[in-house]
Amino acid sequence: MPTGETQTSAEYIKHHLTNLTYGQHPDGAWGFAHSAEEALEMGFMSINVDSMAWSIGLGVIFLLLFRRAAKNATVGVPGGLQNGVEMIVDFIDDLTQSIFSHKNDLIAPMALTIFVWVFLMNLMDLVPVDWIPELAKLFGVHYMKVVPSTDPNITMAMALAVFVLIIYYSIKCKGLGGFLAELSFHPFPSKLLIPVNFILEFVTLIAKPLSLGLRLFGNLYAGEMIFVLIAIMFSAGIGFALAGGVFQFVWAVFHLIIITLQAFVFAVLTIVYMAQAHDTEEH
Amino acid sequence: MNLNLTMFGQSLVFFAFVWFCLKFIWPFLKAAMTERQEAIAHGLAAAEEAEKKLTEAASGAQDELAKAKDEAAQIIDQARRRANQMIEDAKGEAREEGQRLVDAAKGEIDQEMNRAREALRVQVAELAISGAEKVLESSIDASQHSQMLERLAGEL
């Protein structure tokens, strides 16, 4: 905690959990929010610049890397990059084929994008929590959250996108009537129980994107919080600092599993939801 | 934790990235991988085929060898039979030749005998005539009695 003299622990934590938000101040001027409260006052018409920049940056890294592998893809013996990329592609392809039995070329590339992108965003969690924010401070940027997946906007945005596709493919494959019928006649196939069915199924439907987005957010937010708490230990004397170093390493190793798992879960659930949206048969 | 425009911005970015992946990444990698898979499958199939052909060729060679051996045996057999035949033929010919020679010799002997008998008959006739001449002296004319004498000689 390099700025410990002027900050309490609570302020330090809060600072780490505040996004760099751009929007309209209540007095009408546009600009960056200078505190979490100001950001909250901006309401909906504001944007978290750090989350967007980091997520887009990481996404572009992913796309460029894979694009390079795709452009240079050879049928012969693959090189290092192609090998790694193909391993991931093959993994996602197998996963998709084992869950999703319909014909839709969108699903596998989408699962690949989700898996790698979410993984990269989660990976930012392993960068020591003060490095990039302190660096940004040198350039006059006061808030910098570098892990996009600890921002619910980011995770919910992807969940929302998946939700839109669920609705789209449900209506496309079953027709509007079929989709509504699925909502109305499950789990009790009776005309009398349509309201009950509808409430149950609607909640199930809404729960899909909510759980998808909030699961990723919750896991990463908690992980980030623990890294921040460990970082506080560094300013509490040599004994705490050493213990903090050990904790940080242990937690980072454990977190490595979590971030991979969360990326995987997001991709798998997306495929599962897509498969459900395509399923036309009664069950 | 306040939701704001970031959510929609990120959704749009998400769709854009998925679209990019769908158009420019996935098909190329998938194509390369599928093609390689096929190439490997082809290679394995070819290897299997080659192995099958090898065993086929080996058994074919065995067959050829057996056939050649068979043929050779047949040829030897034929040759032996032919040699026997030739020997038989030669023997038969020799026998015939010998018979012919014997027959010819017999004929010659018969002829010789006949000739000797003829000569003997003539001499006997002459002798008888000269004897009768001597007995009858001049009463016998050789030309007159030659007919009778010839008949006499024929009876001998």
Side-chain angles (χ1 to χ4, degrees):
Chain A
M1 194 163 76
T3 52
E5 301 90 41
T6 58
Q7 258 181 333
T8 65
S9 293
E11 279 169 351
Y12 176 76
I13 294 171
K14 199 173 174 190
H15 181 265
H16 265 290
L17 299 179
T18 305
N19 280 109
L20 179 67
T21 309
Y22 183 89
Q24 195 176 24
H25 291 291
D27 61 13
W30 288 84
F32 287 104
H34 296 292
S35 69
E37 289 72 29
E38 266 187 41
L40 206 59
E41 277 166 8
M42 285 176 177
F44 191 76
M45 294 305 285
S46 56
I47 192 157
N48 295 343
V49 177
D50 49 357
S51 294
M52 285 301 286
W54 283 105
S55 66
I56 291 175
L58 291 165
V60 167
I61 289 175
F62 149 64
L63 290 179
L64 287 183
L65 205 66
F66 274 57
R67 173 66 186 153
R68 224 183 83 175
K71 220 158 54 178
N72 301 333
T74 143
V75 179
V77 181
L81 174 67
Q82 197 189 340
N83 226 338
V85 165
E86 277 186 6
M87 216 167 75
I88 299 171
V89 168
D90 202 38
F91 168 67
I92 294 294
D93 199 36
D94 283 349
L95 194 68
T96 309
Q97 275 169 13
S98 65
I99 299 173
F100 189 83
S101 53
H102 305 272
K103 174 95 188 93
N104 190 339
D105 288 339
L106 173 72
I107 305 305
M110 181 163 71
L112 176 71
T113 308
I114 287 173
F115 179 68
V116 181
W117 196 18
V118 169
F119 177 77
L120 286 177
M121 290 197 285
N122 292 351
L123 195 65
M124 293 306 291
D125 216 0
L126 295 181
V127 178
V129 288
D130 276 322
W131 282 11
I132 297 173
E134 288 302 317
L135 198 68
K137 209 173 272 181
L138 294 180
F139 292 97
V141 180
H142 286 284
Y143 292 103
M144 182 54 70
K145 242 175 120 180
V146 298
V147 191
S149 42
T150 58
D151 182 350
N153 281 301
I154 298 297
T155 62
M156 285 313 294
M158 297 174 78
L160 207 64
V162 171
F163 184 60
V164 168
L165 288 177
I166 291 175
I167 303 282
Y168 172 71
Y169 281 117
S170 289
I171 293 175
K172 191 183 172 197
C173 296
K174 300 162 188 165
L176 189 58
F179 181 45
L180 290 177
E182 195 182 55
L183 289 179
S184 308
F185 293 105
H186 286 113
F188 308 113
S190 156
K191 281 208 163 82
L192 284 175
L193 290 168
I194 284 179
V196 179
N197 285 336
F198 195 79
I199 289 169
L200 282 173
E201 286 294 309
F202 193 69
V203 168
T204 308
L205 186 68
I206 295 298
K208 283 176 184 174
L210 274 180
S211 67
L212 195 61
L214 290 181
R215 177 187 302 106
L216 179 60
F217 163 69
N219 272 282
L220 270 291
Y221 191 79
E224 174 81 345
M225 186 71 112
I226 288 174
F227 275 124
V228 173
L229 291 176
I230 290 170
I232 290 177
M233 292 176 78
F234 293 140
S235 63
I238 181 76
F240 276 108
L242 285 177
V246 174
F247 286 156
Q248 171 138 11
F249 175 76
V250 171
W251 180 243
V253 170
F254 185 61
H255 208 52
L256 200 58
I257 302 168
I258 293 178
I259 62 175
T260 317
L261 189 68
Q262 286 307 319
F264 176 71
V265 165
F266 204 111
V268 168
L269 283 180
T270 302
I271 301 172
V272 170
Y273 292 157
M274 287 295 123
Q276 284 175 352
H278 281 73
D279 266 335
T280 47
E281 67 209 32
E282 298 285 317
H283 34 206
Chain B
M1 175 181 152
N2 47 330
L3 294 177
N4 56 27
L5 271 184
T6 312
M7 198 160 74
F8 289 107
Q10 176 75 1
S11 290
L12 292 181
V13 172
F14 174 77
F15 280 122
F17 282 5
V18 169
W19 173 81
F20 187 89
C21 186
L22 172 70
K23 279 276 171 253
F24 299 109
I25 294 175
W26 188 268
F28 296 91
L29 287 169
K30 201 73 193 102
M33 288 163 73
T34 313
E35 211 171 314
R36 183 175 323 116
Q37 230 162 20
E38 270 165 23
I40 292 172
H42 274 308
L44 288 177
E48 213 166 296
E49 185 76 8
E51 207 173 332
K52 209 160 65 183
K53 266 187 190 157
L54 186 68
T55 50
E56 259 170 35
S59 74
Q62 210 103 42
D63 282 355
E64 281 303 304
L65 200 67
K67 222 197 294 181
K69 262 185 196 163
D70 230 34
E71 226 164 286
Q74 229 166 355
I75 287 169
I76 290 171
D77 201 42
Q78 233 166 14
R80 202 168 284 149
R81 220 175 305 144
R82 201 162 153 70
N84 282 348
Q85 181 77 38
M86 275 163 82
I87 291 169
E88 282 309 311
D89 283 356
K91 270 184 187 165
E93 249 169 69
R95 210 173 285 134
E96 262 174 49
E97 186 69 26
Q99 195 61 47
R100 206 170 46 239
L101 285 175
V102 169
D103 285 355
K106 265 186 187 157
E108 225 164 290
I109 289 168
D110 279 354
Q111 262 177 351
E112 208 60 38
M113 217 147 79
N114 280 350
R115 213 178 293 135
R117 202 175 283 152
E118 204 67 33
L120 208 62
R121 200 183 293 142
V122 171
Q123 275 178 0
V124 167
E126 276 173 8
L127 236 130
I129 288 172
S130 63
E133 264 177 5
K134 269 174 193 156
V135 174
L136 302 176
E137 237 25 79
S138 60
S139 62
I140 292 171
D141 183 8
S143 57
Q144 269 180 349
H145 299 280
S146 64
Q147 218 172 349
M148 185 201 57
L149 282 172
E150 250 169 55
R151 218 185 307 134
L152 192 66
E155 276 169 28
L156 281 171

